[in-house]
Amino acid sequence: MVTWKIRGSLKICSKSVIFEPDKTFQPIIKIPLRDCIKIEKQGDDGANRLFVKTQHGKISLVFSQVYFIKEHNIVAPYKIERGKMQYVFELDIAGKVEDVVETLLQLHRASCLDKLGDQTAMITAILQSRLARTSFDKNRFQSLSEILKMECKAEMVTPLVTNPGHVCITDTNLYFQPLNGYPKPVVQITLQDVRRIYKRRHGLMPLGLEVFCTEDDLCSDIYLKFYESQDRDELYFYIATYLENHITEHTAESYMLQWQRGHISNYQYLLHLNNLADRSCNDLSQYPVFPWIINDYFSAELDLSNPETFRDLSKPIGALNKERLERLLIRYQEMPDPKFMYGSHYSSPGYVLFYLVRIAPEHMLCLQNGRFDHADRMFNSIAETWKNCLDGATDFKELIPEFYGDDFSFLVNSLKLDLGKRQGGKMVDDVELPPWASDPKDFLQKSKEALESNYVSEHLHEWIDLIFGYKQKGNEAIGAHNIFHPLTYEGGVDLNSIEDPDEKVAMLTQILEFGQTPKQLFVIPHPRRITPKVKSLSQPSSQSASLADSPVSPGEESFEDLTEESRTLAWNNITKLKLYETYKIHKEAVTGIAVSYNGSSIFTTSQDSTLKMFSKESKTLQRSISFSNMALSSCLVLPGDNTVISSSWDNNVYFYSIAFGRRQDTLMGHDDAVSKISWHNNRLFSASWDSTVKVWPCVPLEMTETKRHHFELLAELEHDVSVDTISLNAAGTLLVSGTKEGSVNIWDLSTATMLHQIACHSGTVYCAAFSPDSRHVLSTGEDGCLKIIDVQTGMLISSMTSEHPQRCFLWDGNCVLAGSQSGELLVWDLIEARVSERIQGHTGAVTSIWMNEQCSSIITGGEDRQIMFWKLQY
């Protein structure tokens, strides 16, 4: 075995082991504890040493998966290596080995617990035990004459990590000593330097405290999270008592008075309001929120004397587009209590990292399982982002303070990150600026001038009413069309009342990832500014043509000449679907439809146990194949048009050679009926009533009669009950499954782990599929409901009910074409949450549906044994 030695630092985290080499060109190594097979102290004559400092105490880790991060010191998607491996770590201090191994074994046991709530509880217990065995090192005091006021346990909070340790306050200094001595042995803040302190909600609990040593800086000097609220309050009292004797404490009202009289700028006032409302740069779930100000991103010159240049600050983002608002209002009025208008928030960790990916790429990689978002969904253009906020069905995001600051680095790809290639072939690089900005510095300068302009000074109070004020909640919020999901509001859920630890962790995770509304600061209308500082640059206005929407990639296999505009046009006219041919080719219900890549042949499966091959040109049945006497459940054609695959209730998957007209192979991979199969990038996904989804590597064979497939199980996604349907996202990175008992499960295929399990339906899930942008999942079930789930958070964001169950569907993220139990094709408008068109079709349930890449041709199959051919006519 080849061995090598790398010097560096070993870090034990709550759910992983991280080794950071001293030489930055070598990758950081992350080993998830759940993937560890064996952890033990290593003897001197044991296995090879891989990562060393000196030949002292050794720790051996045997594991099945490892992540390599920042190889060659380049920020890029993580590299994953799978397979049984062993690393040996040698510590400088041999006496620490026993303690480190014991801690690793404890954390490993926690990571292997089935329930997330139990994992969290055990990790907390391990941490508290370690903290209880240590205390603050008083030798770290700056002076021997310092008088100790209090000491307690706490964590230092940063956007990616919380570091446990001990807090200590004396008559002159505030100290934090991390348990692991990282990033430095002790953090020290002189009380004389403190200018502001804020109590914070952290994880919806009153446990946070943030300390600033400057008056106007965006970021604080330290953010602490305590384990007990009384410890937080006691420390706050000591610091506040000191400050009372040195500086004046500011409230929202005192800042408001300064702002009204022109003593502080609009930017400074918004920054202070964010701080008072629990918003912090150290907490991505409560990042400071700033408004979109400018409405014109297309003119060659920016005219700040023209009111049309500015966004209407009296309305939330979702109400700026009248047509979209009307649709949202219809849905809101028909929605059962608790009602909300917007299924997504204006500020969330995902939105913050959307804007900051160029300067905080590691944050996005950390939160997105080591991957960047799709290139077409990145922050590519100011104008495109604004247009999507105006027109998008689910995009209502505001801005962050960086848009009005001095540092333009978030607009420039100075790190030369490989953020992917857009659909048109252009690489994602610097953010595209509006024509009126000569460069990023000029863009920020003009944005600041717009924020401090007369128009904004006269109207900013209207936006404050929506975000921090009296229009945030209640009847005033309803009247202002400013109603978000109940869980986004402070007090929307009482975590202490949830007894089940799993449910509590899941609820907290949903809330933190979905977005939180700031703490309400004002309960009466906010006054207008009396003496604004005039900083307006009047320039001639020149309106140019608006940019098109940012194209979203529909998938890797789309035709080169297929544009997003053509798809949008087709879906906008989906109600004009016309039936032009009908054929009865089966003896029982049709269960699956697949079409060859060249479009010449249609393949269908049925409960009559046959696979049929139908010619599109001659309109005749060419072949009828039977593999067994059991029903076939679905089919698909492999790339190359040489093989069609069928799944069967006899527990098998059959490979049929089109060229040779014979069964080519049989995959006997399940213990019960195979309900659905999918294919992506040489991998076959099979769902079964045996409660599993299995992943098989499977390369399409060339046109050869003798070759057979070699089947080797790559992954197994275990469920509690029968799986009735599966579907993949366009990139093939996520899978959604629907079960007999009504749950919808979202899986990360890179790690074969379940991201979310949502109890959606009462009864079988008939169909589930991702939106083209992978942000949402739509499911239909035996209960007649249509449900929309947010993929990132797992939150159920919309629910609609139909007279009859929808057995199958296609959708583009905004509109749904569903096959009903009644035999009709129903067109659903998701924003209005209603059926916009009913199209007569089958005499019995529509059980299968297929659409071509151009979205212009559709084939349906039904219980009436017929296949129907439809075309869009517009």
Side-chain angles (χ1 to χ4, degrees):
M1 176 185 287
V2 178
T3 65
W4 67 96
K5 299 179 181 180
I6 301 173
R7 185 174 176 81
S9 301
L10 183 66
K11 300 174 184 176
I12 311 301
C13 302
S14 57
K15 295 185 178 182
S16 62
V17 176
I18 294 175
F19 180 80
E20 191 168 346
D22 291 343
K23 295 180 179 178
T24 56
F25 69 86
Q26 292 169 330
I28 297 169
I29 293 165
K30 178 180 178 180
I31 305 169
L33 284 166
R34 68 171 182 270
D35 295 325
C36 287
I37 301 168
K38 193 174 185 180
I39 301 170
E40 64 180 359
K41 179 181 177 182
Q42 181 71 56
D44 285 340
D45 53 353
N48 293 308
R49 299 183 299 276
L50 301 184
F51 299 93
V52 305
K53 286 197 170 184
T54 56
Q55 295 187 20
H56 292 305
K58 304 171 196 172
I59 300 169
S60 167
L61 266 64
V62 180
F63 49 90
S64 61
Q65 182 168 264
V66 62
Y67 294 85
F68 296 100
I69 304 169
K70 286 187 74 175
E71 194 168 7
H72 305 298
N73 203 27
I74 296 171
V75 179
Y78 300 169
K79 292 182 180 178
I80 306 174
E81 187 174 321
R82 297 186 177 91
K84 189 173 181 181
M85 293 164 275
Q86 180 183 16
Y87 287 170
V88 176
F89 300 92
E90 294 188 18
L91 306 186
D92 274 344
I93 305 172
K96 284 188 175 182
V97 171
E98 299 286 352
D99 183 41
V100 172
V101 170
E102 181 185 353
T103 303
L104 282 171
L105 289 171
Q106 290 174 338
L107 291 169
H108 177 253
R109 285 195 293 272
S111 69
C112 293
L113 294 173
D114 291 334
K115 295 185 176 180
L116 191 59
D118 293 341
Q119 290 183 26
T120 303
M122 186 171 177
I123 290 169
T124 302
I126 295 167
L127 174 59
Q128 290 301 319
S129 173
R130 291 188 64 81
L131 285 170
R133 298 198 303 269
T134 58
S135 61
F136 185 85
D137 181 6
K138 307 301 188 299
N139 292 321
R140 295 289 181 178
F141 281 176
Q142 292 292 300
S143 167
L144 293 175
S145 61
E146 284 186 69
I147 302 170
L148 176 66
K149 294 292 185 180
M150 74 166 287
E151 178 186 346
C152 64
K153 298 174 288 186
E155 296 177 3
M156 186 171 69
V157 178
T158 60
L160 286 182
V161 229
T162 58
N163 227 337
H166 295 274
V167 169
C168 186
I169 187 168
T170 69
D171 56 337
T172 55
N173 289 291
L174 170 67
Y175 298 94
F176 176 76
Q177 186 173 25
L179 191 62
N180 56 6
Y182 183 84
K184 53 185 178 180
V186 67
V187 178
Q188 180 251 330
I189 293 175
T190 304
L191 293 181
Q192 189 174 346
D193 293 337
V194 175
R195 290 294 172 266
R196 295 175 286 145
I197 54 170
Y198 299 99
K199 291 181 178 180
R200 297 285 189 223
R201 283 180 302 167
H202 188 276
L204 301 188
M205 303 295 286
L207 299 172
L209 182 72
E210 195 161 20
V211 180
F212 291 78
C213 292
T214 58
E215 189 58 46
D216 297 318
D217 277 4
L218 182 60
C219 296
S220 65
D221 290 81
I222 194 168
Y223 187 140
L224 296 170
K225 175 232 170 181
F226 297 78
Y227 298 107
E228 302 292 340
S229 58
Q230 56 263 37
D231 287 341
R232 190 275 304 265
D233 294 342
E234 187 177 351
L235 189 73
Y236 179 88
F237 170 78
Y238 282 119
I239 300 177
T241 302
Y242 181 93
L243 295 184
E244 281 178 13
N245 301 320
H246 297 82
I247 62 174
T248 304
E249 182 182 3
H250 289 297
T251 62
E253 288 74 19
S254 67
Y255 281 127
M256 179 175 68
L257 189 61
Q258 291 185 58
W259 172 75
Q260 270 193 292
R261 294 179 175 175
H263 295 162
I264 58 175
S265 67
N266 292 338
Y267 174 84
Q268 289 171 317
Y269 185 44
L270 289 176
L271 204 58
H272 290 313
L273 292 184
N274 272 283
N275 275 318
L276 290 167
D278 279 341
R279 315 302 283 191
S280 167
C281 289
N282 285 307
D283 186 350
L284 294 178
S285 68
Q286 297 187 96
Y287 203 82
V289 56
F290 269 57
W292 284 95
I293 293 294
I294 299 168
N295 185 43
D296 177 6
Y297 293 100
F298 308 110
S299 297
E301 302 291 338
L302 188 66
D303 183 3
L304 296 181
S305 66
N306 181 5
E308 296 299 317
T309 299
F310 299 93
R311 166 253 182 111
D312 185 346
L313 290 165
S314 69
K315 297 176 181 178
I317 290 290
L320 292 175
N321 182 324
K322 185 178 179 182
E323 292 180 2
R324 178 176 66 177
L325 177 62
E326 289 173 355
R327 296 193 298 268
L328 290 167
L329 282 172
I330 293 171
R331 186 185 72 171
Y332 174 78
Q333 289 157 5
E334 296 174 353
M335 185 183 293
D337 288 333
K339 295 173 179 286
F340 58 91
M341 284 195 64
Y342 310 114
S344 62
H345 205 254
Y346 51 77
S347 176
S348 70
Y351 291 157
V352 174
L353 295 182
F354 170 85
Y355 290 128
L356 298 181
V357 64
R358 288 167 178 82
I359 57 171
E362 291 163 283
H363 292 51
M364 178 174 279
L365 290 172
C366 182
L367 294 185
Q368 294 201 161
N369 296 316
R371 295 188 300 270
F372 289 124
D373 205 348
H374 191 284
D376 285 301
R377 292 197 297 271
M378 298 291 264
F379 180 31
N380 292 306
S381 158
I382 305 288
E384 282 182 6
T385 303
W386 171 239
K387 190 175 189 305
N388 201 49
C389 289
L390 287 181
D391 301 337
T394 58
D395 194 347
F396 312 106
K397 61 178 171 283
E398 292 278 8
L399 295 181
I400 54 176
E402 283 79 358
F403 278 81
Y404 304 102
D406 297 316
D407 185 359
F408 57 78
S409 59
F410 74 103
L411 299 169
V412 181
N413 187 16
S414 57
L415 297 177
K416 303 301 178 186
L417 301 168
D418 183 358
L419 298 172
K421 184 181 292 185
R422 301 189 66 182
Q423 191 177 17
K426 185 179 179 181
M427 295 297 296
V428 176
D429 197 29
D430 297 347
V431 177
E432 185 179 331
L433 303 174
W436 45 258
S438 59
D439 54 38
K441 184 178 180 180
D442 185 51
F443 171 77
L444 288 192
Q445 180 60 37
K446 287 175 178 171
S447 295
K448 286 190 285 185
E449 291 168 359
L451 180 62
E452 304 301 335
S453 66
N454 275 342
Y455 178 90
V456 174
S457 294
E458 292 167 1
H459 294 276
L460 187 58
H461 65 283
E462 298 172 329
W463 186 82
I464 292 170
D465 283 336
L466 295 169
I467 307 301
F468 304 106
Y470 82 112
K471 290 184 179 180
Q472 188 194 88
K473 300 177 183 177
N475 291 330
E476 293 291 346
I478 295 173
H481 310 310
N482 195 35
I483 302 296
F484 294 84
H485 196 284
L487 290 179
T488 67
Y489 294 91
E490 185 176 21
V493 62
D494 181 7
L495 286 178
N496 291 324
S497 67
I498 302 175
E499 295 181 359
D500 180 69
D502 256 332
E503 185 183 346
K504 182 182 290 188
V505 171
M507 180 68 73
L508 177 59
T509 302
Q510 282 188 8
I511 292 169
L512 295 183
E513 291 183 358
F514 192 82
Q516 295 179 71
T517 300
K519 183 166 67 179
Q520 190 173 23
L521 300 178
F522 309 102
V523 293
I524 57 174
H526 192 288
R528 296 178 61 171
R529 195 171 193 184
I530 301 169
T531 55
K533 291 183 178 178
V534 178
K535 295 177 76 175
S536 176
L537 298 178
S538 299
Q539 295 176 333
S541 174
S542 174
Q543 188 69 31
S544 62
S546 64
L547 296 176
D549 278 334
S550 170
V552 178
S553 174
E556 295 178 353
E557 297 173 359
S558 59
F559 298 115
E560 289 181 0
D561 60 346
L562 182 64
T563 64
E564 185 65 22
E565 286 74 18
S566 68
R567 288 174 173 270
T568 303
L569 181 63
W571 275 100
N572 286 344
N573 290 275
I574 201 72
T575 56
K576 299 174 182 176
L577 206 57
K578 301 296 180 185
L579 176 65
Y580 71 99
E581 286 173 337
T582 303
Y583 301 92
K584 185 178 286 187
I585 60 174
H586 283 285
K587 295 179 181 178
E588 296 291 343
V590 178
T591 56
I593 301 171
V595 178
S596 59
Y597 283 74
N598 61 22
S600 63
S601 300
I602 292 96
F603 297 89
T604 58
T605 52
S606 168
Q607 289 184 5
D608 65 10
S609 79
T610 64
L611 168 68
K612 307 281 189 180
M613 179 175 170
F614 188 85
S615 170
K616 189 175 181 182
E617 280 188 25
S618 63
K619 313 298 182 187
T620 58
L621 181 64
Q622 292 186 321
R623 298 182 197 175
S624 180
I625 307 103
S626 184
F627 302 110
S628 73
N629 60 358
M630 298 285 282
L632 298 179
S633 55
S634 65
C635 61
L636 56 86
V637 180
L638 294 190
D641 287 344
N642 293 322
T643 305
V644 60
I645 310 178
S646 301
S647 55
S648 173
W649 284 6
D650 68 1
N651 310 357
N652 297 329
V653 177
Y654 295 99
F655 290 70
Y656 176 79
S657 171
I658 301 171
F660 294 97
R662 61 187 291 273
R663 184 173 69 189
Q664 191 174 43
D665 221 332
T666 303
L667 169 59
M668 295 178 283
H670 288 278
D671 300 323
D672 206 336
V674 183
S675 54
K676 187 76 180 287
I677 51 174
S678 290
W679 177 275
H680 187 275
N681 196 24
N682 294 337
R683 289 184 179 179
L684 175 67
F685 301 81
S686 57
S688 171
W689 294 353
D690 66 6
S691 305
T692 67
V693 174
K694 295 185 178 181
V695 187
W696 314 86
C698 197
V699 179
L701 300 179
E702 295 181 2
M703 203 165 57
T704 302
E705 190 174 4
T706 56
K707 283 189 178 180
R708 295 175 69 86
H709 291 86
H710 173 67
F711 302 112
E712 182 179 338
L713 183 62
L714 184 66
E716 182 171 328
L717 313 181
E718 296 184 356
H719 297 66
D720 297 327
V721 293
S722 302
V723 184
D724 280 77
T725 186
I726 55 170
S727 182
L728 300 167
N729 71 335
T733 56
L734 300 173
L735 179 143
V736 60
S737 57
T739 69
K740 183 180 180 180
E741 293 187 357
S743 70
V744 172
N745 311 282
I746 300 173
W747 298 81
D748 181 344
L749 293 176
S750 66
T751 57
T753 54
M754 186 188 294
L755 300 177
H756 306 290
Q757 182 176 47
I758 308 98
C760 279
H761 300 275
S762 55
T764 301
V765 179
Y766 282 140
C767 191
F770 289 93
S771 58
D773 61 8
S774 300
R775 292 179 180 175
H776 298 102
V777 162
L778 175 68
S779 66
T780 61
E782 188 179 6
D783 55 5
C785 293
L786 290 82
K787 309 273 187 165
I788 300 177
I789 299 159
D790 179 78
V791 171
Q792 184 182 18
T793 63
M795 182 178 287
L796 188 63
I797 59 174
S798 182
S799 180
M800 295 154 283
T801 305
S802 56
E803 297 175 53
H804 304 280
Q806 312 292 287
R807 296 286 296 272
C808 54
F809 67 81
L810 303 163
W811 76 311
D812 72 337
N814 298 306
C815 185
V816 181
L817 178 64
S820 174
Q821 183 82 30
S822 66
E824 299 170 297
L825 290 180
L826 303 183
V827 180
W828 289 80
D829 185 321
L830 294 180
I831 293 181
E832 296 183 6
R834 67 177 183 88
V835 176
S836 57
E837 189 72 25
R838 294 177 180 270
I839 305 167
Q840 293 301 314
H842 295 263
T843 55
V846 183
T847 52
S848 190
I849 189 167
W850 173 90
M851 176 185 276
N852 68 343
E853 287 286 345
Q854 293 89 343
C855 307
S856 59
S857 179
I858 289 160
I859 306 172
T860 58
E863 282 184 346
D864 58 5
R865 300 169 286 172
Q866 297 188 101
I867 57 170
M868 294 184 172
F869 291 78
W870 308 77
K871 277 190 177 178
L872 283 179
Q873 295 184 354
Y874 57 89

